[in-house]
Amino acid sequence: MELIKNPPPSEADIEAAKAVVKEKGEAVAQLKSAKAGKAEITASVAELDKAKENLSRLEERSKLKPGIPQKDGKIDYSQDFFAHQAFLTVSGQLQVETYACAVSSVHTFGPTFRAEHSHTSRHLAEFWWWSLK
């Protein structure tokens, strides 16, 4: 939904950001060659860093595509977070929070799912959790 409300930057946006980075870089080079003061160079380098960071964010955001990644009309799980088909659910923790306000002690016990991009025994994406409130 975020990409629909705030679409990724266009190629023109990225080119404009690249031009700003080039301009800021040339300004730093000119200050250095003119042997400008340290404070002036530092301020110019800070502007260059800010422009580079903005360009980086724009380039990263331009790679995002709205919706579910598909290949040949089917879901492309290779681009999915888990890299294979996964079934997730919502834990009862959210619902029990409201009961905790009304009752002195409540608990939940059930499967819990985390979005951790790892498939090792130390980084479980699914486990059983007992939560006391």
Side-chain angles (χ1 to χ4, degrees):
M1 192 69 164
E2 171 66 20
L3 283 174
I4 294 170
K5 291 180 182 176
N6 186 11
S10 67
E11 196 62 40
D13 294 332
I14 294 172
E15 290 304 317
K18 286 179 180 179
V20 170
V21 168
K22 184 177 179 182
E23 176 187 313
K24 300 292 182 186
E26 289 170 355
V28 169
Q30 285 177 348
L31 288 172
K32 287 182 177 180
S33 67
K35 300 197 188 296
K38 184 176 180 179
E40 195 175 1
I41 292 173
T42 302
S44 188
V45 168
E47 288 180 17
L48 174 61
D49 289 343
K50 190 174 179 180
K52 285 180 177 179
E53 185 178 315
N54 184 47
L55 173 60
S56 177
R57 273 192 258 116
L58 287 175
E59 287 176 333
E60 197 61 37
R61 185 149 174 76
S62 71
K63 296 175 187 174
L64 299 176
K65 305 289 182 230
I68 298 170
Q70 294 190 355
K71 186 176 186 179
D72 299 328
K74 296 181 181 178
I75 296 174
D76 184 5
Y77 290 107
S78 68
Q79 294 184 34
D80 185 62
F81 182 81
F82 288 101
H84 59 74
Q85 189 172 8
F87 301 95
L88 303 177
T89 186
V90 176
S91 73
Q93 181 116 11
L94 183 62
Q95 290 82 2
V96 86
E97 295 289 338
T98 58
Y99 294 120
C101 294
V103 183
S104 61
S105 62
V106 294
H107 72 273
T108 61
F109 181 73
T112 303
F113 303 92
R114 286 189 179 160
E116 290 187 16
H117 195 53
S118 180
H119 300 287
T120 68
S121 60
R122 293 183 185 193
H123 296 92
L124 298 175
E126 178 183 354
F127 56 93
W128 284 83
W129 179 276
W130 184 18
S131 177
L132 301 169
K133 300 287 178 195

